[in-house]
Amino acid sequence: MTSAEHLLDAEETPLQLALEVTGLAVRTAAGQPVLNQVSYAIAPGEVLALVGESGSGKTTAGLAVLGHFRRGLVPADGTVTIRPRGGDQVDVLALDAGARRKLRGSAVAYIPQDPALSLNPALRIGLQIAEVLETHGYPGSVEDRIAELLAEVGLPTDKAYRRRYPHQLSGGQQQRVGIAMAFACRPSVVVLDEPTTGLDVMTQALVLKTVRELTSEHRVAALYITHDLAVVAELADRVAVMYQGDVVETGPADRILHQPEHPYTRRLLDAVPDLAADVGAAPPPSAPVLAAHDIHVSYGQHKVLRGVNVAVTRGECLMLLGESGSGKTTLSQCIAGLTKEFTGTIALDGAELAVSTRQRTSDERRRIQYVFQSPFSSLNPRKTIAQSIEVPLVRLTSLSKAQRRERVAEMLDRVRLGRNLGNRLPDQLSGGERQRAAIARALVTTPDVLVCDEVTSALDVSVQATIVELLGELRRELGMAMLFVTHNIALAPEVADRIAVLRGGEIVEEGTADDVLSAPSHPYTRELLANTPRL
Amino acid sequence: MTTVEVPPDTSPAPAPTKIAGLLGTAWAFPQAKVGTGLAGVVVLIALLGPWLGPVITGYSTTDFAGKPFKADGIAGTDGLGRDVLTRFLAGGTTLLLYAVLATVLGIVLGALLGMVAGYSGGWLDSVLMRGNDVLLSFPQLVIALLAIAVIGPKGWLLVLVIGLTHAPRTARVARQATVAVRGNDYIRAAEMYAVPRGQILLREVLPNISGPLMVELGLRLTYSIGYIASLSFLGLGIQPPTADWGLMINENRIALVVQPWGVLLPVLAIALLAVGTNLVADSFASAAAGHTREARS
């Protein structure tokens, strides 16, 4: 059955739908609208992707299906109708708290974003799944059902595995336990809230496949909340695009992804990094401005880096690619002088640097700058943006107070924040704006080398695109070298001149972006490329 | 389906909002207002009392006002025939001053110790905190009694010994809060720019642990008041003939049935002050918890 037929079904025989949300409006307790008239419907076995950036109301719209509203939000209007398996339609919003609770887990289930936070760390996973079944009075053998569920999500079913604690599982396995719990009572509707955000591409591909199989096999209606359109292309039958509390466009995934009508959808699509895009011309080779030679780091018995060599030349961007645990952040911290325990040499223009940043000279410190992963943690919440950006100027230059002010204002303009934002505190800015401020702090002393550690991973795809674009422009304007550390190979065409792939503490592949993307030599790189979702 | 205009900028700047500081947030809780009211009355009495007393009653704190333990005048006389009301009005000043000084000493010292331990980690943290644990294993009052027994009842000793025994308790709180803040990247950023460690503690760490420290401040003030009053009651704190609430309770307790005012007034004042400061501390705690919640969401 194609998606278009589903839509027609929806209009002619509404009783077929597993979930129908009509005219849902949600306000804050103070009366500010959060959702205006949101409507969507899902048939059994269908996956609807609810797409939008942070703050678009997509999570509020998704949680409403469970009859749950975050503190301070109240439903103002509309209905949320669920059709439990073999039961009559119910309007979730009309039920009292007790009846809603009964519905949750049995007729409608929720898979949260971070499996590490949603599983109880003190309970064995078998017990946690059993809890769901027992709470809802599962009629058959709970033991058998758990084995069946674990098999369905592709996990081992033996007793020993069931006796594990959540911390003994990987992130992907934890998320699959979360999925097993959600599907335990054979719900008719499942709400998935960005369930793959914290996972690397390989694990993400596996989890998506599991979700896909389970929904079609058991005829479950799935609502998949995400900001990542590339994931949508892999999974969804239909897409609803949300913007500022409205559904601005709905339609089959194929059409939305290839012929979007609404300008906002088009902008979201433009933001998705495209692996097939042309790679920019690499600068002519010259002597490296920064070279790390034979870097070893170990924590006790565990070797994090085993003899890594990387070098960047002036004006070049090297992408350091690796999944979590590959040692990429450790390497970038060695370069910035934030880790003391490493052996090997790091040289700036041929001159060897001291290990710790405190032993380096001000000029050496000035020339290597570092942008941290999360802008939510890298700016002091009690300092204004301008105060934070001024710190490197105070520490590393001898400019007067007035000169420093001028320089900060100039830099704020340069990262497209505007000098007026300087007197704001970080929590008055959005994630993208904060990351711009963090970039401004790193660039305010005009470094020769900029180390960017996963600078986009805490941001929405649409914001990620603007940050990547900004970094590219600034790099060309200022002619600095950049070490771009990331797990996302899809950014390569846009960012990288050369790529170095880090795995298990070793560089397994290195070459120009063109070569690595078109003819990867290492099986790991090939696997990465194959598993990266694309439109 | 609704059609909306899409502005070109992806991240529209939120309107500048007035930052309600911890104090502002705390004030919104009812216990802050009640607590400030209760403590405020007592503080006012303690501050203005020494001048008001003689004006109202016509006697100084040591004048003979009539026969001992009689209900003459507004609140009667004590065992030496001194006017109870005058002594009550004058009796809070020293207590309040000592309590505030001891609390400030304890908080400053404790915060410093805790921040250094929490920020540096490693062996220094272990040494400082184990030393701290040793001090914590003695009840505060026992150490105070010991020190006073050895050196004698002096005002400065009272402040010093109570301040010093507050410090290890505050240090634990400060260390815990510092450890939570230390992992943030803005601390690493400051380290990367080789900001001196003292400045990191003062400018990056301290503002971000001010919430728990404010709670601690209120709590320690309550304790200081209690301890100093207790020590004075035992005759080890403020010495006669100075008028003092703790001391007054001791002087007048033998005539509790005949002339209750001498005990009742200071007891009420101490209780109100303790309850009031505790309520204010409570509102700080609620506000600080709310602040961290907001910061995390």
Side-chain angles (χ1 to χ4, degrees):
Chain A
M1 199 191 291
T2 69
S3 315
E5 280 164 5
H6 274 314
L7 260 185
L8 289 177
D9 280 353
E11 272 148 25
E12 283 165 13
T13 51
L15 286 178
Q16 292 293 315
L17 293 169
L19 168 71
E20 193 176 10
V21 175
T22 47
L24 179 68
V26 175
R27 295 180 207 303
T28 64
Q32 235 186 342
V34 175
L35 295 181
N36 328 304
Q37 302 292 317
V38 167
S39 302
Y40 56 86
I42 317 177
E46 187 186 43
V47 180
L48 174 75
L50 200 56
V51 180
E53 56 195 6
S54 313
S56 61
K58 58 185 193 299
T59 298
T60 307
L63 287 176
V65 175
L66 295 117
H68 176 77
F69 298 90
R70 272 176 289 185
R71 192 175 302 179
L73 297 184
V74 281
D77 196 14
T79 59
V80 175
T81 319
I82 289 182
R83 193 185 178 79
R85 234 164 254 277
D88 291 327
Q89 281 188 320
V90 276
D91 181 3
V92 178
L93 299 185
L95 296 176
D96 61 34
R100 281 185 200 180
R101 214 158 34 235
K102 256 188 214 131
L103 215 59
R104 291 176 196 151
S106 59
V108 48
Y110 178 69
I111 299 172
Q113 181 164 1
D114 192 341
L117 293 178
S118 60
L119 296 177
N120 186 336
L123 292 186
R124 301 174 194 276
I125 56 162
L127 190 62
Q128 299 198 42
I129 303 176
E131 219 174 25
V132 181
L133 292 163
E134 280 157 11
T135 307
H136 293 285
Y138 184 73
S141 155
V142 169
E143 285 295 305
D144 292 349
R145 178 69 182 140
I146 294 175
E148 193 185 345
L149 278 165
L150 288 174
E152 276 180 347
V153 295
L155 292 174
T157 56
D158 55 287
K159 274 242 152 57
Y161 192 82
R162 271 185 252 169
R163 289 180 56 79
R164 287 205 192 180
Y165 288 100
H167 72 267
Q168 294 170 308
L169 310 183
S170 71
Q173 288 174 326
Q174 287 174 347
Q175 194 54 289
R176 276 187 268 171
V177 171
I179 293 171
M181 284 167 75
F183 280 85
C185 296
R186 307 185 204 280
S188 63
V189 180
V190 171
V191 179
L192 301 103
D193 189 359
E194 309 218 17
T196 63
T197 304
L199 307 175
D200 61 63
V201 281
M202 252 85 113
T203 321
Q204 167 172 300
L206 273 175
V207 168
L208 290 181
K209 189 164 152 268
T210 310
V211 170
R212 178 84 265 193
E213 283 170 3
L214 283 173
T215 47
S216 61
E217 194 176 318
H218 298 292
R219 310 278 300 148
V220 174
L223 180 67
Y224 195 97
I225 303 169
T226 184
H227 67 270
D228 192 345
L229 276 169
V231 168
V232 170
E234 300 271 299
L235 185 72
D237 301 305
R238 282 191 305 124
V239 179
V241 182
M242 284 202 67
Y243 180 72
Q244 294 192 344
D246 281 302
V247 172
V248 293
E249 188 166 7
T250 317
D254 265 357
R255 189 192 60 67
I256 298 269
L257 294 176
H258 298 111
Q259 290 140 355
E261 275 163 15
H262 197 274
Y264 176 70
T265 316
R266 249 173 268 150
R267 210 179 67 216
L268 269 186
L269 277 167
D270 287 343
V272 176
D274 184 5
L275 263 178
D278 282 341
V279 176
S286 58
V289 55
L290 180 88
H293 179 66
D294 199 24
I295 304 290
H296 285 269
V297 175
S298 39
Y299 297 133
Q301 291 294 306
H302 179 61
K303 286 188 167 51
V304 183
L305 293 176
R306 347 167 157 231
V308 172
N309 296 303
V310 285
V312 264
T313 57
R314 221 168 280 279
E316 178 196 53
C317 177
L318 173 69
M319 178 185 255
L320 191 63
L321 192 68
E323 58 192 299
S324 38
S326 64
K328 57 188 194 304
T329 294
T330 308
L331 179 60
S332 51
Q333 290 187 347
C334 290
I335 292 170
L338 287 169
T339 314
K340 280 179 199 143
E341 291 94 14
F342 73 90
T343 61
T345 58
I346 290 168
L348 190 63
D349 267 337
E352 194 178 319
L353 292 176
V355 169
S356 156
T357 175
R358 285 202 187 274
Q359 284 139 27
R360 296 181 184 175
T361 66
S362 289
D363 192 53
E364 285 166 350
R365 262 182 240 132
R366 179 190 69 75
R367 292 177 62 192
I368 300 179
Q369 290 290 324
Y370 191 93
V371 183
F372 291 88
Q373 173 168 5
S374 168
F376 299 95
S377 139
S378 67
L379 298 168
N380 187 337
R382 295 296 174 94
K383 275 186 171 178
T384 66
I385 296 300
Q387 279 172 338
S388 281
I389 299 176
E390 204 183 346
V391 170
L393 288 174
V394 175
R395 298 295 312 156
L396 307 178
T397 67
S398 51
L399 297 177
S400 72
K401 201 166 185 177
Q403 285 171 311
R404 290 202 301 261
R405 281 236 176 96
E406 184 46 39
R407 187 90 188 92
V408 168
E410 215 176 278
M411 209 58 230
L412 281 169
D413 284 341
R414 230 183 175 142
V415 296
R416 332 282 191 261
L417 267 182
R419 50 187 74 199
N420 312 333
L421 257 64
N423 50 19
R424 299 264 184 94
L425 289 172
D427 61 2
Q428 294 171 301
L429 300 184
S430 69
E433 286 172 324
R434 289 189 206 197
Q435 196 57 292
R436 279 161 201 265
I439 290 171
R441 174 173 63 186
L443 294 183
V444 75
T445 50
T446 52
D448 292 341
V449 181
L450 185 67
V451 182
C452 298
D453 180 18
E454 291 267 24
V455 287
T456 60
S457 66
L459 305 172
D460 273 5
V461 171
S462 54
V463 181
Q464 163 180 297
T466 62
I467 293 287
V468 163
E469 194 184 331
L470 174 75
L471 280 172
E473 279 171 34
L474 290 170
R475 182 164 68 88
R476 277 185 292 276
E477 280 172 37
L478 306 171
M480 62 191 170
M482 192 155 92
L483 185 66
F484 193 91
V485 180
T486 184
H487 69 277
N488 189 356
I489 198 172
L491 292 170
E494 221 154 322
V495 176
D497 299 316
R498 280 191 307 126
I499 299 179
V501 183
L502 193 62
R503 193 181 190 207
E506 282 171 314
I507 303 268
V508 293
E509 174 155 12
E510 192 176 357
T512 63
D514 226 358
D515 289 348
V516 173
L517 291 178
S518 56
S521 63
H522 195 274
Y524 173 69
T525 322
R526 281 201 287 273
E527 210 180 329
L528 262 186
L529 277 167
N531 281 304
T532 300
R534 34 188 116 194
L535 293 177
Chain B
M1 195 193 300
T2 334
T3 320
V4 290
E5 281 289 304
V6 182
D9 189 5
T10 30
S11 42
T17 51
K18 190 165 168 266
I19 292 284
L22 187 73
L23 290 176
T25 321
W27 187 245
F29 290 93
Q31 63 261 45
K33 291 170 186 135
V34 176
T36 312
L38 292 181
V41 170
V42 182
V43 170
L44 222 60
I45 291 174
L47 292 182
L48 301 178
W51 287 276
L52 275 179
V55 175
I56 297 174
T57 62
Y59 296 103
S60 81
T61 53
T62 47
D63 284 346
F64 184 75
K67 285 185 176 164
F69 293 136
K70 289 283 181 240
D72 304 334
I74 302 173
T77 57
D78 69 2
L80 294 174
R82 296 170 299 194
D83 189 81
V84 166
L85 186 66
T86 311
R87 287 183 68 77
F88 165 71
L89 287 171
T93 325
T94 329
L95 169 69
L96 201 66
L97 178 74
Y98 285 2
V100 168
L101 286 179
T103 308
V104 169
L105 178 70
I107 293 286
V108 170
L109 218 61
L112 203 68
L113 211 72
M115 284 199 299
V116 169
Y119 176 69
S120 44
W123 65 268
L124 185 60
D125 183 23
S126 303
V127 169
L128 286 176
M129 292 329 277
R130 292 304 76 76
N132 216 24
D133 287 345
V134 172
L135 291 178
L136 278 173
S137 59
F138 295 101
Q140 272 184 283
L141 215 49
V142 171
I143 299 185
L145 285 173
L146 189 72
I148 293 163
V150 171
I151 300 172
K154 307 261 183 350
W156 60 265
L157 183 66
L158 217 55
V159 169
L160 194 71
V161 84
I162 290 176
L164 285 181
T165 49
H166 280 333
R169 286 157 179 86
T170 305
R172 283 182 78 121
V173 173
R175 177 185 173 273
Q176 205 56 48
T178 307
V179 167
V181 164
R182 185 182 62 183
N184 279 308
D185 281 341
Y186 56 83
I187 306 288
R188 286 167 158 254
E191 280 165 2
M192 194 173 66
Y193 296 119
V195 176
R197 290 181 180 87
Q199 266 187 41
I200 292 185
L201 289 186
L202 221 57
R203 295 197 191 153
E204 310 286 340
V205 176
L206 186 59
N208 288 296
I209 65 166
S210 58
L213 283 184
M214 289 297 268
V215 178
E216 194 62 15
L217 186 77
L219 192 65
R220 290 299 145 208
L221 185 61
T222 313
Y223 277 115
S224 299
I225 294 163
Y227 286 141
I228 293 172
S230 308
L231 287 170
S232 298
F233 172 81
L234 295 175
L236 298 170
I238 297 151
Q239 294 298 302
T242 313
D244 173 75
W245 290 340
L247 196 56
M248 274 178 80
I249 299 173
N250 195 8
E251 289 167 348
N252 295 311
R253 72 195 155 98
I254 44 167
L256 187 59
V257 188
V258 190
Q259 216 293 66
W261 288 118
V263 175
L264 217 54
L265 284 178
V267 163
L268 267 178
I270 294 171
L272 280 186
L273 191 59
V275 170
T277 48
N278 211 351
L279 282 174
V280 175
D282 205 35
S283 72
F284 280 145
S286 306
H291 260 237
T292 25
R293 252 207 313 280
E294 269 168 46
R296 276 178 198 157
S297 68

